[in-house]
Amino acid sequence: MSTRDLFTFSNRHFTIGVGVIAGILVVTGIAGFIVLPFAQPWVQFANVWDAICSAAGVPQRATSVTAPEQAKRLSEVVLTSRTLSRPSQEAIGRGATLAQRCAICHGPTGISRADSPNLAGQYAAVIYKELHDFRSGARTNAVMSPFAVNLTDQEIADLSNYYAYLPRLPAYHPTPQLPKPNIVIYGAPMRGIAPCGACHGSLDNKTGSPWLEGQSEAYMKAQLQAFASSERRNDISQQMRNIARAMTPQEIEAAAAYYASQPPDVVKAVD
Amino acid sequence: MLVNRKLILAHFWLAFAVFGVALTLGAWQMFIRSPIGTWLSNPELYYRSLTAHGTVMGYVFPTLVAMGFGYAISESALEQRLVGVRWAWAGFWLIVIGSIMAVIPIALGRASVLYTFYPPLIGNVFYYLGVVLVVVGSWIWVALMSVNLRVWRKAHPGAPVPLAMYANVAGSYLWAWTAVGAALELLLQIIPVAAGLKNTIDAGLARVFFSWTLHAIVYFWLMPTYIAYYTIVPRAIGGLVYSDSMARISFILFLVVAMPIGMHHTFADPQVGAGFKFIHSAFTALVALPTLLTVFTICASVEIAARLRGGRGLFGWIRALPWDNPMMLALAFSFVMLGFGGAGGLINMSYQLDASIHNTQWITGHFHLIFGGAIVIMYFAIAYDLWPHLTGRELIDVRLIRTQLWLWFIGMIVTTFPWHWVGILGMPRRMAYFDFGDPAIAPQALSVTFSAIGGFILLTSGIMFIVILARGMRAPRVDAGPYRFAIAVHQSKTVPVALNTHALWVALMIVLTITNYGYPILNLALGAGTSVPAVYVGAQ
């Protein structure tokens, strides 16, 4: 028998091989697409075709249900790899001009002399997101919101690029460096808290998370408390709210004090 | 007739060298994650190591063993010089270049995505290009195996293809087709994103593509082991293969049903329909069939050896087996591990039982027991058996070989059994750190500690293995004679064309892939709004 005779029904191996495989396929198909869907008493199907489509994973749109209205605004910022790529010198210059009105709180060199965040050398994506959120109302602050409300997209991008361009400077009132507390380095796995350092530097950085070294202790503490009470809600998918809610007051103190005590030159170089 | 011994030795040496490095990383990972190690305070380093361990153990090491062993089979079973030696070297160097290309971004922390890629996580593009080069290098081997068999057939029209070569080519075809899934994922989805041409990716579709590769790749890893069961072990212990046809049927069954079953890896994925999950689950059950056939045939072949050696009684013959023969020992260990691992696998493939262990340490325990245990211990056996024929020197220290095999067996059991256990208790996999001080998981600390100790036993055994082979390169010269494979009790003069060629079974494999994967892939590929933004490793 030559290879040519392999694919004919007169070849026993072909008939049996194909027959058995086809048989198994048909039986498992009937079981998986018809019998088992109907065996679930908690699911209702209009007809057999409906059951088959469901088992095949055909996407179904629930037309009768409308999404509930959001009582409060959520962050709508979308970052792509092109959003803030390669700022021109002109863009940074425009940002510097615009930043003059920020200097009263955030300092002329981007280092705050009050308890506002230091912005010098902060990641552009972070400033970009927060300004957008202040503008849209996803984040509100009595002082900051009026500043942000009239900014254009271009101005926000320029400001972000300007502050990212500034050198990272020590805090206005540096304090002695503290050792890493557990919450920063280990998190609390049993309470679902990832280490602070996994996103905010010290261990690793994730897009959209600020580096925190040298920030005001009072500011960071206030923000964690605002996340915990859901007063602040512009974090994506409640990432920070879920963490802050599970943190103990002592952990909030320890994390804020630790980051405030760090000089900015320990920020992990990832960019 | 082993002519291109340098080629085969190069494949084996590279395989075992990278194996040694990855094994060390594995032991370190077990230690650092266990209560006896001090936590690194840097999960990124852990995942970097894990990516290197998986990439080497999953892609580079078994592929090189299969290739080296494949060339040895082609030359010795067909008794003809390897056709396309230059191409074979080109394939080898592609793997070398690909491995280096992949390892550099991993070492720099730019590709800590694990060997299973896990989009939307995206690493450095050179990592993926390196993996592609490794696969392309192995495809050259696939083509060469096919070409060599064709050349032999022309010279021997109608003659039965030697079993070892028949199985070897079946394994190469399985690999060629199963690698297509990951290749599609890499070329169409991941590499365009990693190269910056796109910034969103359909992670669900990527997972379906990867499942195409991920399960059948296990059977590709398994092929050299099964070939050794059938064609080396009976000869090495002085027996005969119980049935040549049964062996061929097992290999073609692997070819047909190893492929369309990968979705049991996606039981918890919402983007795949439940009906397809059920079909894949049912076909996964079928894949137990060739393994059961093999266990039966090999036990029968071993019994033949025992009875030829004067064994008597219903079970008394077991005592008559040559237990001091490393090959016998390796086979027995391999079967025990295959038994436990296979039983665990039946739980993984059951749609409902899987829910209790999905993504737990049970899974890690399972695939280490099957791959690292049952499969790799036979890779050791293959190397020991082939070494004198490749080097022309004797492996003198049989005691050391036996100790090495024992240690590997004990190490693997000590490592994987507690792993399974903590998995049942709910310990998740792919975690860099566990706080064993917490009362909720403190009771698991003991099991994890045992597991880590097992890791070091394995490392010891692995080092011994490399030392034995290295010493074998300097041992006194000896003429090992031609390399032979086991023969069957009834060595038939003719074999039915279906069991002498692969066409029918390759066709069935492709058809089943289309029936079982076609709709889910099209559904995801054509559906709108299924892509998510990519998450770049180390990006800010």
Side-chain angles (χ1 to χ4, degrees), chain A residues 1 6-7 13-14 21 24-25 28-29 31-33 36 55-59 80-81 123 185-186 189-190 203 205-208 270, chain B residues 39 41-43 199 256 273-276 278-279 282-283 286 433 438 440 496-498 501 503-504 512 515-516 519 523 538-540:
Chain A
M1 200 188 276
L6 185 59
F7 290 91
H13 289 97
F14 177 79
I21 292 291
I24 293 169
L25 198 60
T28 54
F33 286 89
L36 290 178
V58 178
T80 70
S81 51
Y123 299 122
I185 212 73
Y186 301 141
M190 295 309 294
L203 299 174
N205 274 104
K206 299 291 185 305
T207 309
V270 289
Chain B
W39 166 232
S41 303
N42 188 353
N199 48 39
V256 176
F276 282 102
F278 176 78
I279 292 189
F283 272 89
L286 278 183
Y433 165 72
D438 193 286
V497 69
T501 57
L504 173 58
L512 275 181
T515 58
N516 289 11
Y519 180 77
N523 184 22
Q540 173 58 51

Side-chain angles (χ1 to χ4, degrees), chain B residues 193-480:
Chain B
V193 180
L197 304 173
K198 274 175 71 186
N199 48 39
T200 59
I201 186 162
D202 186 341
L205 176 62
R207 289 176 63 82
V208 171
F209 273 137
F210 199 76
S211 81
W212 166 332
T213 295
L214 188 55
H215 202 71
I217 197 174
V218 179
Y219 292 95
F220 164 63
W221 299 338
L222 197 75
M223 280 296 182
T225 295
Y226 272 52
I227 295 173
Y229 286 165
Y230 280 107
T231 66
I232 297 181
V233 173
R235 185 260 296 146
I237 62 169
L240 298 163
V241 182
Y242 175 69
S243 164
D244 180 78
S245 312
M246 195 84 103
R248 285 170 197 264
I249 289 169
S250 297
F251 285 111
I252 55 156
L253 277 177
F254 275 129
L255 202 51
V256 176
V257 291
M259 219 357 267
I261 64 178
M263 277 186 196
H264 68 251
H265 291 243
T266 62
F267 277 161
D269 284 29
Q271 82 278 16
V272 181
F276 282 102
K277 288 176 182 170
F278 176 78
I279 292 189
H280 281 245
S281 180
F283 272 89
T284 317
L286 278 183
V287 94
L289 203 63
T291 293
L292 293 175
L293 282 181
T294 301
V295 171
F296 175 82
T297 313
I298 298 305
C299 285
S301 310
V302 167
E303 187 179 342
I304 292 173
R307 297 212 183 272
L308 285 174
R309 292 167 62 90
R312 292 278 175 276
L314 194 58
F315 293 107
W317 56 268
I318 294 172
R319 258 181 295 135
L321 285 168
W323 289 107
D324 53 349
N325 185 328
M327 197 56 78
M328 187 65 232
L329 216 50
L331 175 75
F333 292 154
S334 182
F335 267 28
V336 171
M337 293 190 277
L338 189 67
F340 281 113
L346 293 179
I347 290 167
N348 305 345
M349 61 122 241
S350 308
Y351 198 169
Q352 276 118 348
L353 286 176
D354 172 74
S356 58
I357 43 88
H358 198 90
N359 268 344
T360 67
Q361 297 275 29
W362 167 284
I363 302 297
T364 331
H366 166 74
F367 67 72
H368 278 83
L369 187 55
I370 286 274
F371 176 43
I375 295 177
V376 168
I377 205 164
M378 289 310 289
Y379 288 2
F380 297 155
I382 290 168
Y384 288 144
D385 197 59
L386 264 174
W387 223 247
H389 297 269
L390 294 174
T391 58
R393 295 163 196 272
E394 196 179 2
L395 287 179
I396 313 161
D397 208 338
V398 183
R399 245 176 98 107
L400 199 61
I401 293 177
R402 280 201 299 266
T403 316
Q404 189 267 324
L405 294 171
W406 267 107
L407 278 183
W408 191 262
F409 174 66
I410 294 168
M412 197 49 82
I413 299 287
V414 174
T415 305
T416 56
F417 278 34
W419 243 350
H420 280 84
W421 170 242
V422 295
I424 296 173
L425 298 179
M427 182 179 264
R429 65 191 276 217
R430 305 188 200 101
M431 290 287 143
Y433 165 72
F434 292 99
D435 177 10
F436 291 102
D438 193 286
I441 60 166
Q444 296 171 21
L446 190 64
S447 306
V448 177
T449 306
F450 274 124
S451 201
I453 293 170
F456 284 95
I457 301 176
L458 288 172
L459 181 60
T460 314
S461 173
I463 293 169
M464 281 170 72
F465 170 67
I466 291 170
V467 167
I468 292 167
L469 293 189
R471 281 172 56 179
M473 305 296 288
R474 289 184 293 131
R477 288 199 169 274
V478 68
D479 180 20

